[in-house]
Coordinates of all heavy atoms in Angstrom, one line a residue:
M141 N 0.8 -1.1 0.0 CA 0.0 0.0 0.0 C 0.9 1.2 0.0 O 1.9 1.3 0.7 CB -0.9 -0.1 1.3 CG -1.8 1.1 1.3 SD -3.0 1.1 2.7 CE -3.9 -0.3 2.3
T142 N 0.6 2.2 -0.8 CA 1.3 3.4 -0.8 C 1.1 4.3 0.4 O 0.0 4.1 1.1 CB 1.0 4.3 -2.1 OG1 -0.3 4.7 -2.0 CG2 1.2 3.5 -3.4
D143 N 2.0 5.2 0.7 CA 1.8 6.1 1.8 C 0.5 6.9 1.6 O -0.3 7.2 2.6 CB 2.9 7.1 2.0 CG 4.2 6.4 2.4 OD1 4.0 5.3 3.1 OD2 5.3 6.8 2.2
R144 N 0.2 7.4 0.4 CA -0.9 8.1 0.1 C -2.3 7.4 0.4 O -3.2 7.8 1.0 CB -1.0 8.6 -1.4 CG -2.2 9.3 -1.8 CD -2.2 9.5 -3.3 NE -3.4 10.1 -3.8 CZ -4.4 9.3 -4.1 NH1 -4.4 7.9 -4.0 NH2 -5.6 9.8 -4.5
A145 N -2.2 6.1 0.0 CA -3.4 5.3 0.2 C -3.6 5.0 1.6 O -4.7 4.9 2.1 CB -3.2 3.9 -0.6
E146 N -2.5 4.8 2.4 CA -2.6 4.6 3.8 C -3.2 5.8 4.5 O -4.0 5.7 5.4 CB -1.2 4.2 4.4 CG -1.2 3.9 5.8 CD -2.0 2.6 6.3 OE1 -2.5 1.9 5.4 OE2 -2.0 2.4 7.5
C147 N -2.7 7.0 4.1 CA -3.3 8.2 4.7 C -4.8 8.3 4.4 O -5.5 8.7 5.4 CB -2.6 9.4 4.1 SG -0.9 9.7 4.6
L148 N -5.2 8.0 3.2 CA -6.6 8.1 2.9 C -7.4 7.1 3.7 O -8.5 7.4 4.2 CB -6.8 7.9 1.4 CG -6.5 9.1 0.5 CD1 -6.5 8.7 -1.0 CD2 -7.5 10.2 0.8
R149 N -6.9 5.9 3.8 CA -7.6 4.9 4.6 C -7.7 5.3 6.0 O -8.9 5.2 6.6 CB -6.8 3.5 4.5 CG -7.5 2.4 5.2 CD -6.6 1.1 5.2 NE -5.5 1.3 6.1 CZ -5.5 1.2 7.4 NH1 -6.6 1.0 8.1 NH2 -4.4 1.3 8.1
L150 N -6.7 5.8 6.6 CA -6.7 6.2 8.0 C -7.6 7.4 8.2 O -8.4 7.4 9.2 CB -5.3 6.5 8.5 CG -4.4 5.3 8.7 CD1 -2.9 5.8 9.0 CD2 -4.9 4.4 9.8
L151 N -7.6 8.4 7.3 CA -8.5 9.5 7.4 C -9.9 9.1 7.3 O -10.8 9.5 8.2 CB -8.3 10.5 6.2 CG -7.1 11.4 6.4 CD1 -6.8 12.1 5.1 CD2 -7.4 12.5 7.4
F152 N -10.3 8.2 6.4 CA -11.7 7.7 6.3 C -12.1 6.9 7.5 O -13.2 7.1 8.0 CB -11.8 6.9 5.0 CG -13.2 6.6 4.6 CD1 -14.1 7.6 4.3 CD2 -13.7 5.3 4.7 CE1 -15.4 7.4 4.1 CE2 -15.0 5.0 4.3 CZ -15.9 6.0 4.1
E153 N -11.2 6.1 8.0 CA -11.6 5.3 9.2 C -11.8 6.2 10.4 O -12.7 6.0 11.2 CB -10.5 4.3 9.6 CG -10.4 3.1 8.7 CD -9.3 2.1 9.1 OE1 -8.7 2.3 10.1 OE2 -9.0 1.2 8.3
F154 N -11.0 7.3 10.6 CA -11.2 8.2 11.7 C -12.5 8.9 11.5 O -13.3 9.1 12.5 CB -10.0 9.3 11.8 CG -10.5 10.3 12.7 CD1 -10.5 10.1 14.1 CD2 -10.7 11.6 12.3 CE1 -10.9 11.1 15.0 CE2 -11.1 12.6 13.1 CZ -11.2 12.4 14.5
V155 N -12.9 9.4 10.3 CA -14.1 10.1 10.1 C -15.3 9.1 10.5 O -16.2 9.6 11.2 CB -14.2 10.6 8.6 CG1 -15.7 10.9 8.3 CG2 -13.3 11.7 8.3
Q156 N -15.2 7.9 10.2 CA -16.3 7.0 10.4 C -16.3 6.6 11.9 O -17.4 6.5 12.5 CB -16.2 5.7 9.7 CG -16.4 5.9 8.2 CD -16.3 4.6 7.4 OE1 -15.4 3.9 7.5 NE2 -17.4 4.4 6.6
S157 N -15.1 6.4 12.6 CA -15.1 5.9 13.9 C -15.1 6.9 15.0 O -15.6 6.8 16.1 CB -13.9 4.9 14.1 OG -12.7 5.7 14.2
G158 N -14.3 8.0 14.8 CA -14.1 9.0 15.8 C -13.2 8.6 16.8 O -13.0 9.3 17.9
D159 N -12.4 7.5 16.7 CA -11.5 7.0 17.7 C -10.3 8.0 17.8 O -9.6 8.3 16.9 CB -11.0 5.7 17.2 CG -10.0 5.0 18.2 OD1 -9.7 5.6 19.2 OD2 -9.6 3.9 17.9
V160 N -10.1 8.5 19.0 CA -9.1 9.5 19.2 C -7.7 9.0 18.9 O -6.8 9.6 18.4 CB -9.2 10.1 20.7 CG1 -8.0 11.0 20.9 CG2 -10.5 10.8 20.9
E161 N -7.4 7.7 19.3 CA -6.1 7.1 19.0 C -6.0 7.0 17.5 O -4.8 7.2 17.0 CB -6.0 5.7 19.7 CG -5.9 5.8 21.1 CD -5.7 4.4 21.8 OE1 -5.2 3.5 21.1 OE2 -6.0 4.3 23.0
Q162 N -7.0 6.8 16.8 CA -7.0 6.7 15.3 C -6.5 8.1 14.7 O -5.8 8.2 13.8 CB -8.3 6.3 14.8 CG -8.4 6.3 13.3 CD -7.7 5.0 12.7 OE1 -7.7 4.0 13.4 NE2 -7.2 5.1 11.5
A163 N -7.0 9.1 15.4 CA -6.7 10.5 15.0 C -5.1 10.7 15.1 O -4.5 11.3 14.2 CB -7.4 11.6 15.7
G164 N -4.6 10.3 16.2 CA -3.2 10.5 16.4 C -2.4 9.7 15.3 O -1.3 10.2 14.8
T165 N -2.7 8.4 15.1 CA -2.0 7.6 14.1 C -2.2 8.2 12.7 O -1.2 8.3 11.9 CB -2.7 6.2 14.1 OG1 -2.4 5.6 15.4 CG2 -2.0 5.3 13.1
T166 N -3.3 8.7 12.4 CA -3.6 9.3 11.1 C -2.8 10.6 10.9 O -2.1 10.7 9.9 CB -5.1 9.7 11.0 OG1 -5.9 8.5 11.1 CG2 -5.4 10.3 9.6
A167 N -2.7 11.4 11.9 CA -1.9 12.6 11.8 C -0.4 12.4 11.6 O 0.2 12.9 10.8 CB -2.1 13.5 13.1
G168 N 0.1 11.4 12.4 CA 1.5 11.0 12.2 C 1.8 10.4 10.8 O 2.9 10.7 10.3
T169 N 0.8 9.6 10.3 CA 1.1 9.0 9.0 C 1.1 10.1 7.9 O 1.9 10.1 7.0 CB 0.0 8.0 8.7 OG1 0.0 7.0 9.8 CG2 0.2 7.3 7.4
I170 N 0.2 11.1 8.1 CA 0.1 12.2 7.1 C 1.4 13.0 7.2 O 2.0 13.3 6.1 CB -1.1 13.0 7.3 CG1 -2.4 12.3 7.0 CG2 -1.0 14.4 6.5 CD1 -3.6 13.0 7.4
I171 N 1.9 13.3 8.4 CA 3.1 14.1 8.5 C 4.3 13.3 7.8 O 5.1 13.9 7.1 CB 3.4 14.4 10.0 CG1 2.3 15.4 10.4 CG2 4.8 14.9 10.2 CD1 2.3 15.7 11.9
A172 N 4.4 12.0 8.2 CA 5.4 11.2 7.6 C 5.4 11.2 6.1 O 6.4 11.3 5.4 CB 5.3 9.8 8.2
Y173 N 4.2 11.0 5.5 CA 4.0 11.0 4.1 C 4.4 12.3 3.5 O 5.2 12.4 2.5 CB 2.6 10.7 3.7 CG 2.2 10.9 2.3 CD1 2.8 10.4 1.2 CD2 1.1 11.8 2.1 CE1 2.4 10.6 -0.1 CE2 0.7 12.0 0.7 CZ 1.3 11.4 -0.3 OH 0.9 11.7 -1.6
I174 N 3.8 13.4 4.0 CA 4.1 14.7 3.4 C 5.6 15.1 3.5 O 6.1 15.7 2.6 CB 3.2 15.8 4.1 CG1 1.7 15.6 3.9 CG2 3.6 17.2 3.7 CD1 1.3 15.6 2.5
S175 N 6.3 14.7 4.5 CA 7.7 15.1 4.7 C 8.6 14.4 3.8 O 9.7 14.8 3.6 CB 8.1 14.8 6.2 OG 8.1 13.4 6.4
T176 N 8.1 13.3 3.1 CA 8.9 12.6 2.1 C 8.8 13.3 0.8 O 9.7 12.9 -0.1 CB 8.5 11.1 1.9 OG1 7.1 11.1 1.4 CG2 8.6 10.4 3.2
L177 N 7.9 14.2 0.6 CA 7.7 14.8 -0.7 C 8.7 16.1 -0.8 O 8.9 16.8 0.1 CB 6.3 15.3 -0.9 CG 5.3 14.2 -0.8 CD1 3.8 14.8 -0.8 CD2 5.5 13.2 -1.9
E178 N 9.3 16.2 -2.0 CA 10.2 17.2 -2.3 C 9.6 18.6 -2.6 O 8.8 18.6 -3.6 CB 11.1 16.8 -3.5 CG 12.3 17.8 -3.8 CD 13.5 17.4 -3.0 OE1 13.7 16.3 -2.6 OE2 14.3 18.4 -2.9
G179 N 9.7 19.6 -1.8 CA 9.2 20.9 -2.1 C 7.8 21.2 -1.6 O 7.0 20.3 -1.5
I180 N 7.6 22.4 -1.2 CA 6.4 22.8 -0.6 C 5.2 22.7 -1.6 O 4.1 22.3 -1.2 CB 6.5 24.3 0.0 CG1 7.3 24.2 1.2 CG2 5.1 24.9 0.2 CD1 7.7 25.6 1.7
E181 N 5.5 22.9 -2.9 CA 4.4 22.8 -3.9 C 3.9 21.3 -3.9 O 2.7 21.1 -4.0 CB 4.9 23.2 -5.3 CG 5.2 24.7 -5.4 CD 6.6 25.0 -4.9 OE1 7.4 24.1 -4.7 OE2 6.8 26.2 -4.6
A182 N 4.8 20.4 -3.9 CA 4.3 18.9 -3.9 C 3.6 18.6 -2.6 O 2.6 17.8 -2.6 CB 5.5 18.1 -4.1
Q183 N 4.0 19.2 -1.5 CA 3.4 18.9 -0.2 C 2.0 19.5 -0.2 O 1.0 18.9 0.2 CB 4.2 19.5 0.9 CG 5.5 18.7 1.1 CD 6.5 19.4 2.1 OE1 6.2 20.5 2.5 NE2 7.6 18.7 2.4
V184 N 1.9 20.7 -0.7 CA 0.5 21.4 -0.8 C -0.4 20.6 -1.7 O -1.5 20.3 -1.4 CB 0.6 22.8 -1.3 CG1 -0.7 23.4 -1.6 CG2 1.3 23.7 -0.2
A185 N 0.1 20.1 -2.8 CA -0.7 19.3 -3.8 C -1.1 18.0 -3.2 O -2.2 17.6 -3.3 CB 0.1 19.1 -5.1
A186 N -0.3 17.4 -2.3 CA -0.6 16.1 -1.7 C -1.7 16.4 -0.7 O -2.7 15.5 -0.5 CB 0.6 15.6 -1.0
L187 N -1.6 17.5 0.1 CA -2.7 17.8 1.1 C -4.1 18.1 0.3 O -5.1 17.6 0.8 CB -2.4 19.0 1.9 CG -1.3 18.8 3.0 CD1 -0.9 20.2 3.6 CD2 -1.8 17.8 4.0
D188 N -4.0 18.8 -0.8 CA -5.2 19.0 -1.6 C -5.8 17.7 -2.1 O -6.9 17.5 -2.1 CB -4.9 19.9 -2.8 CG -4.7 21.3 -2.4 OD1 -5.1 21.7 -1.3 OD2 -4.2 22.1 -3.2
D189 N -4.9 16.8 -2.6 CA -5.3 15.5 -3.0 C -6.0 14.7 -1.9 O -7.1 14.1 -2.1 CB -4.1 14.7 -3.6 CG -4.4 13.3 -4.0 OD1 -5.3 13.2 -5.0 OD2 -3.9 12.4 -3.4
L190 N -5.4 14.6 -0.7 CA -6.0 14.0 0.4 C -7.4 14.5 0.7 O -8.3 13.7 0.9 CB -5.1 14.0 1.6 CG -3.8 13.2 1.6 CD1 -2.9 13.6 2.8 CD2 -4.1 11.7 1.5
R191 N -7.5 15.8 0.8 CA -8.8 16.4 1.1 C -9.8 16.1 0.0 O -10.9 15.8 0.3 CB -8.6 18.0 1.2 CG -9.8 18.7 1.8 CD -9.5 20.0 2.1 NE -8.9 20.7 0.9 CZ -9.2 22.0 0.6 NH1 -10.0 22.7 1.3 NH2 -8.7 22.5 -0.6
S192 N -9.4 16.2 -1.2 CA -10.4 16.0 -2.3 C -10.9 14.5 -2.3 O -12.1 14.2 -2.5 CB -9.7 16.3 -3.6 OG -10.5 15.9 -4.7
N193 N -9.9 13.6 -2.1 CA -10.3 12.1 -2.1 C -11.1 11.8 -0.9 O -12.0 11.0 -1.0 CB -9.0 11.3 -2.3 CG -8.5 11.2 -3.7 OD1 -9.1 10.4 -4.5 ND2 -7.6 12.0 -4.0
L194 N -10.8 12.4 0.2 CA -11.6 12.1 1.4 C -13.0 12.6 1.2 O -13.9 11.8 1.5 CB -11.0 12.8 2.6 CG -11.7 12.6 4.0 CD1 -11.8 11.1 4.4 CD2 -11.2 13.4 5.1
T195 N -13.2 13.7 0.6 CA -14.5 14.2 0.4 C -15.3 13.3 -0.6 O -16.5 13.0 -0.3 CB -14.4 15.7 -0.2 OG1 -13.8 16.6 0.8 CG2 -15.8 16.2 -0.6
S196 N -14.6 12.9 -1.6 CA -15.2 12.0 -2.5 C -15.7 10.7 -1.9 O -16.8 10.2 -2.1 CB -14.3 11.6 -3.7 OG -14.0 12.8 -4.5
R197 N -14.9 10.1 -1.0 CA -15.2 8.9 -0.3 C -16.4 9.1 0.6 O -17.3 8.3 0.7 CB -14.0 8.4 0.5 CG -13.0 7.7 -0.4 CD -11.9 7.1 0.5 NE -10.9 6.6 -0.3 CZ -9.9 5.7 0.1 NH1 -9.9 5.4 1.4 NH2 -9.0 5.3 -0.7
C198 N -16.4 10.2 1.4 CA -17.4 10.5 2.3 C -18.7 10.8 1.5 O -19.8 10.3 2.0 CB -17.1 11.7 3.1 SG -15.8 11.4 4.3
E199 N -18.7 11.4 0.4 CA -19.9 11.6 -0.4 C -20.4 10.3 -0.9 O -21.6 10.1 -1.0 CB -19.7 12.7 -1.5 CG -19.5 14.0 -1.0 CD -19.0 15.0 -2.1 OE1 -18.7 14.6 -3.3 OE2 -19.0 16.2 -1.8
A200 N -19.5 9.5 -1.3 CA -19.9 8.1 -1.9 C -20.7 7.3 -0.9 O -21.6 6.5 -1.3 CB -18.7 7.4 -2.4
V201 N -20.5 7.4 0.4 CA -21.2 6.6 1.3 C -22.2 7.5 2.1 O -22.8 6.9 3.0 CB -20.2 5.9 2.3 CG1 -19.3 4.9 1.6 CG2 -19.4 6.8 3.1
S202 N -22.4 8.7 1.8 CA -23.3 9.6 2.4 C -23.2 9.6 3.9 O -24.1 9.3 4.6 CB -24.8 9.2 2.0 OG -24.9 9.3 0.6
I203 N -22.0 10.0 4.4 CA -21.9 10.1 5.9 C -22.7 11.2 6.4 O -23.1 12.1 5.7 CB -20.4 10.4 6.3 CG1 -19.9 11.6 5.8 CG2 -19.5 9.2 5.9 CD1 -18.6 12.1 6.4
S204 N -23.1 11.1 7.7 CA -24.0 12.1 8.3 C -23.7 12.1 9.8 O -22.9 11.3 10.3 CB -25.4 11.8 8.1 OG -25.8 10.5 8.6
G205 N -24.3 13.0 10.5 CA -24.2 13.1 11.9 C -22.8 13.5 12.3 O -22.1 14.3 11.8
E206 N -22.4 12.7 13.4 CA -21.0 13.0 14.0 C -19.9 12.7 13.0 O -18.9 13.4 13.0 CB -20.8 12.1 15.2 CG -21.7 12.6 16.4 CD -21.5 11.8 17.6 OE1 -20.5 10.9 17.6 OE2 -22.2 12.0 18.6
A207 N -20.1 11.8 12.1 CA -19.1 11.5 11.1 C -19.0 12.6 10.2 O -17.8 13.1 9.8 CB -19.5 10.2 10.3
E208 N -20.0 13.3 9.8 CA -20.0 14.5 8.9 C -19.2 15.6 9.7 O -18.4 16.4 9.1 CB -21.4 14.9 8.5 CG -21.3 16.2 7.6 CD -20.5 16.1 6.3 OE1 -20.4 15.0 5.8 OE2 -20.1 17.2 5.9
D209 N -19.5 15.8 11.0 CA -18.8 16.8 11.7 C -17.3 16.5 11.8 O -16.5 17.4 11.7 CB -19.4 16.8 13.2 CG -20.8 17.3 13.3 OD1 -21.3 17.9 12.3 OD2 -21.4 17.0 14.4
R210 N -17.0 15.2 11.9 CA -15.5 14.9 12.0 C -14.9 15.2 10.6 O -13.8 15.7 10.5 CB -15.3 13.5 12.4 CG -15.5 13.2 13.9 CD -15.1 11.8 14.3 NE -15.9 10.8 13.7 CZ -17.1 10.4 14.3 NH1 -17.5 10.9 15.4 NH2 -17.7 9.4 13.7
H211 N -15.7 14.9 9.5 CA -15.2 15.1 8.2 C -14.9 16.7 8.0 O -13.8 17.0 7.5 CB -16.2 14.6 7.1 CG -15.8 15.0 5.8 ND1 -16.6 15.7 5.0 CD2 -14.6 14.8 5.1 CE1 -16.0 15.9 3.8 NE2 -14.8 15.4 3.8
E212 N -15.8 17.5 8.5 CA -15.6 18.9 8.4 C -14.3 19.4 9.2 O -13.5 20.2 8.7 CB -16.8 19.7 8.8 CG -18.0 19.5 7.9 CD -19.2 20.1 8.4 OE1 -19.2 21.0 9.3 OE2 -20.3 19.8 7.8
I213 N -14.2 18.8 10.4 CA -12.9 19.1 11.1 C -11.7 18.7 10.5 O -10.7 19.5 10.4 CB -13.1 18.5 12.6 CG1 -14.2 19.2 13.4 CG2 -11.8 18.6 13.3 CD1 -14.6 18.5 14.6
V214 N -11.7 17.6 9.9 CA -10.5 17.1 9.1 C -10.3 18.0 7.9 O -9.1 18.3 7.7 CB -10.7 15.6 8.7 CG1 -9.6 15.2 7.7 CG2 -10.6 14.7 9.9
E215 N -11.3 18.3 7.2 CA -11.1 19.2 6.1 C -10.5 20.6 6.6 O -9.5 21.1 5.9 CB -12.4 19.5 5.4 CG -13.0 18.4 4.7 CD -13.1 18.6 3.2 OE1 -12.9 19.7 2.7 OE2 -13.4 17.6 2.5
D216 N -11.0 21.1 7.7 CA -10.4 22.4 8.2 C -9.0 22.2 8.5 O -8.2 23.1 8.3 CB -11.2 22.8 9.4 CG -12.6 23.3 9.1 OD1 -12.9 23.6 7.9 OD2 -13.5 23.5 10.0
A217 N -8.6 21.1 9.2 CA -7.2 20.8 9.6 C -6.3 20.7 8.4 O -5.2 21.2 8.4 CB -7.1 19.6 10.5
L218 N -6.8 20.0 7.4 CA -6.0 19.9 6.1 C -5.8 21.2 5.5 O -4.7 21.6 4.9 CB -6.6 18.9 5.1 CG -6.5 17.4 5.6 CD1 -7.4 16.6 4.7 CD2 -5.2 16.9 5.6
E219 N -6.8 22.0 5.5 CA -6.8 23.4 4.9 C -5.8 24.3 5.7 O -5.0 25.0 5.2 CB -8.1 24.1 4.9 CG -8.1 25.5 4.2 CD -7.5 25.6 2.8 OE1 -7.7 24.6 2.1 OE2 -7.0 26.7 2.5
Q220 N -5.8 24.2 7.0 CA -4.9 24.9 7.9 C -3.4 24.5 7.6 O -2.6 25.3 7.5 CB -5.2 24.8 9.4 CG -4.3 25.5 10.3 CD -4.3 27.0 10.0 OE1 -5.3 27.6 9.9 NE2 -3.1 27.6 10.0
A221 N -3.2 23.2 7.5 CA -1.9 22.7 7.1 C -1.4 23.2 5.8 O -0.2 23.7 5.7 CB -1.8 21.2 7.1
R222 N -2.4 23.3 4.8 CA -2.0 23.8 3.5 C -1.6 25.3 3.6 O -0.6 25.7 3.0 CB -3.2 23.6 2.6 CG -3.1 24.1 1.2 CD -4.4 24.0 0.5 NE -4.2 24.1 -0.9 CZ -4.0 25.2 -1.6 NH1 -3.8 26.3 -1.0 NH2 -3.9 25.1 -2.9
R223 N -2.4 26.1 4.3 CA -2.1 27.5 4.5 C -0.7 27.7 5.2 O 0.1 28.6 4.8 CB -3.1 28.2 5.2 CG -4.4 28.4 4.4 CD -5.4 29.4 5.0 NE -5.8 29.1 6.4 CZ -6.9 28.5 6.7 NH1 -7.8 28.1 5.7 NH2 -7.2 28.2 7.9
T224 N -0.5 26.9 6.2 CA 0.8 26.9 6.9 C 2.0 26.7 5.9 O 3.0 27.4 5.9 CB 0.9 26.0 8.1 OG1 -0.2 26.4 8.9 CG2 2.2 26.0 8.8
L225 N 1.9 25.6 5.2 CA 2.9 25.3 4.2 C 3.1 26.4 3.2 O 4.2 26.8 2.8 CB 2.6 24.0 3.4 CG 2.9 22.7 4.2 CD1 2.3 21.5 3.4 CD2 4.4 22.5 4.4
E226 N 2.0 26.9 2.7 CA 2.1 28.0 1.7 C 2.8 29.3 2.3 O 3.5 29.9 1.6 CB 0.7 28.3 1.1 CG 0.2 27.3 0.2 CD -1.2 27.6 -0.4 OE1 -2.0 28.2 0.4 OE2 -1.5 27.3 -1.5
S227 N 2.5 29.5 3.5 CA 3.1 30.7 4.1 C 4.6 30.6 4.3 O 5.3 31.6 4.3 CB 2.5 31.0 5.5 OG 2.9 30.1 6.4
Q228 N 5.1 29.4 4.3 CA 6.5 29.1 4.4 C 7.2 29.3 3.1 O 8.4 29.5 3.0 CB 6.8 27.7 4.9 CG 6.4 27.4 6.3 CD 6.6 26.0 6.8 OE1 7.1 25.2 6.0 NE2 6.2 25.7 8.0
S229 N 6.4 29.3 2.0 CA 7.0 29.5 0.7 C 7.0 31.0 0.3 O 7.7 31.3 -0.7 CB 6.3 28.7 -0.4 OG 5.0 29.2 -0.6
D230 N 6.4 31.8 1.1 CA 6.3 33.3 0.8 C 7.7 33.9 1.0 O 8.4 33.5 2.1 CB 5.3 34.0 1.6 CG 3.8 33.6 1.1 OD1 3.7 33.1 0.0 OD2 2.9 33.8 1.9
P231 N 8.2 34.8 0.2 CA 9.5 35.4 0.4 C 9.5 36.3 1.6 O 8.6 36.8 2.2 CB 9.8 36.2 -0.9 CG 8.5 36.1 -1.7 CD 7.6 35.2 -1.1

């Protein structure tokens, strides 16, 4: 399994389960994956890809309730990480 696929799997599992330990594992896996990518542009693109694919998976199974709330929180966290990375590339 690729690092990207593992990140997506863990993100989706967390959205569905809400397990706090799962959140920690997921965050660590994403950081490890992103840190292997060369350059901020590639890292930003990877975060965008994760967010987009997670949204597609969640829409495909029509999550709702607390799972939808967790999905929104994850989306916000990925967007914040994206903004942080982009701010590092500003001169």
Side-chain angles (χ1 to χ4, degrees):
M141 180 176 297
T142 67
D143 290 336
R144 176 188 169 276
E146 181 67 3
C147 289
L148 285 170
R149 183 186 69 75
L150 291 169
L151 280 169
F152 190 65
E153 283 181 12
F154 169 70
V155 165
Q156 290 182 310
S157 73
D159 181 1
V160 175
E161 287 183 27
Q162 179 76 28
T165 300
T166 302
T169 302
I170 291 170
I171 290 168
Y173 165 58
I174 296 297
S175 70
T176 65
L177 302 175
E178 184 89 22
I180 290 174
E181 293 81 16
Q183 294 170 350
V184 167
L187 288 173
D188 285 343
D189 176 66
L190 289 173
R191 189 171 55 142
S192 173
N193 279 280
L194 177 63
T195 297
S196 294
R197 286 184 182 195
C198 290
E199 288 172 353
V201 298
S202 300
I203 62 167
S204 61
E206 291 181 5
E208 178 60 26
D209 293 342
R210 285 189 294 274
H211 174 235
E212 290 176 17
I213 290 168
V214 167
E215 290 242 355
D216 290 346
L218 290 171
E219 179 58 29
Q220 180 60 45
R222 182 186 197 284
R223 286 194 302 261
T224 299
L225 282 172
E226 287 180 325
S227 72
Q228 293 177 3
S229 68
D230 291 338

